Amino acid sequence: MSDEKILSIVKKIYRFTLSVFIIIFTLFLSTIYYYNDPTLSLLIPKEEKNITSSKSVQQKNAGIIQDGIHLETGLIEGEGLMLVVQNCTSCHSAKMITQNRANKEGWRSMIKWMQQTQNLWDLGENEEKIIDYLSTNYPPQKKGRRATLTNIEWYNLD
Ligand code: HEC
């Protein structure tokens, strides 16, 4: 065998081994990555993530309204309902809202409190619409458990 031939064989073997190593190394890295991030979330572009989150919003939008109540959340039907469903039910259940009552200022300050302490996002121009919805449908309760009794006939104890 000529030196040239030997050299070319050695080169071939070298290239082959190198490719095998690269393949094994790549597989190794992918396996480690997959192990740490099984959903491959880092590889999915952000836009696609938004699509999935807006999908869940759409699912909420598809909610049925029965007897003036949005079934999925229990919120009262009204103007701005969907804004509230979209912005206010991802961190906690809508019960937080339905169990509370306040005027505009009260709702405004609850929203401000969540923005300052709970990472609630800036609601932009929707804030007024949301506050309108909340103060209209969940206003401060004016009456107590029952209306005060009137026309009572008092009688004297003997
Ligand atoms: C980023 C997450 C987040 C979003 C979005 C959010 N909240 Fe909250 N909210 C919280 C947390 C956290 C609490 C405190 C929960 C607790 O006390 O267990 C809270 C509490 C509340 C309370 C109870 C406040 C109190 O004084 O007891 C109300 C009412 C409320 N949220 C209404 C809303 C409304 C209306 C929206 C939509 C504008 C909204 N939330 C959106 C995180 C959020």
Side-chain angles (χ1 to χ4, degrees):
M1 255 203 283
S2 72
D3 278 1
E4 247 170 61
K5 258 196 174 163
I6 291 177
L7 194 67
S8 99
I9 288 174
V10 167
K11 265 188 184 163
K12 268 186 192 152
I13 291 174
Y14 173 75
R15 275 197 210 121
F16 178 74
T17 337
L18 195 66
S19 339
V20 168
F21 263 106
I22 289 175
I23 290 172
I24 288 176
F25 188 63
T26 317
L27 279 176
F28 177 70
L29 281 187
S30 329
T31 314
I32 288 184
Y33 178 81
Y34 186 70
Y35 185 75
N36 286 302
D37 182 16
T39 58
L40 305 180
S41 61
L42 282 178
L43 300 181
I44 299 170
K46 281 225 170 88
E47 278 170 40
E48 257 177 65
K49 275 192 209 163
N50 285 343
I51 289 171
T52 42
S53 66
S54 70
K55 247 186 209 157
S56 64
V57 166
Q58 276 163 11
Q59 276 164 6
K60 278 181 188 160
N61 281 354
I64 307 155
I65 288 172
Q66 208 172 65
D67 301 329
I69 299 288
H70 182 238
L71 287 186
E72 274 176 70
T73 57
L75 289 166
I76 298 171
E77 184 191 11
E79 210 182 313
L81 165 67
M82 283 313 160
L83 284 176
V84 173
V85 172
Q86 285 160 12
N87 285 288
C88 307
T89 59
S90 46
C91 297
H92 47 66
S93 92
K95 277 214 175 98
M96 277 288 174
I97 297 166
T98 56
Q99 287 170 354
N100 269 284
R101 293 181 162 265
N103 57 13
K104 279 193 181 196
E105 285 320 304
W107 284 113
R108 202 186 306 279
S109 72
M110 278 188 252
I111 288 175
K112 207 174 227 166
W113 172 80
M114 277 178 286
Q115 283 170 333
Q116 281 166 355
T117 62
Q118 311 297 337
N119 287 331
L120 172 61
W121 45 85
D122 182 19
L123 296 167
E125 57 180 15
N126 288 335
E127 179 162 332
E128 281 311 308
K129 295 178 193 159
I130 289 174
I131 289 175
D132 279 345
Y133 169 87
L134 294 168
S135 56
T136 307
N137 295 291
Y138 300 96
Q141 230 142 4
K142 291 196 183 78
K143 288 178 181 173
R145 260 183 315 124
R146 55 165 171 75
T148 317
L149 294 177
T150 49
N151 299 327
I152 305 169
E153 274 182 43
W154 296 102
Y155 57 92
N156 289 321
L157 293 172
D158 292 326

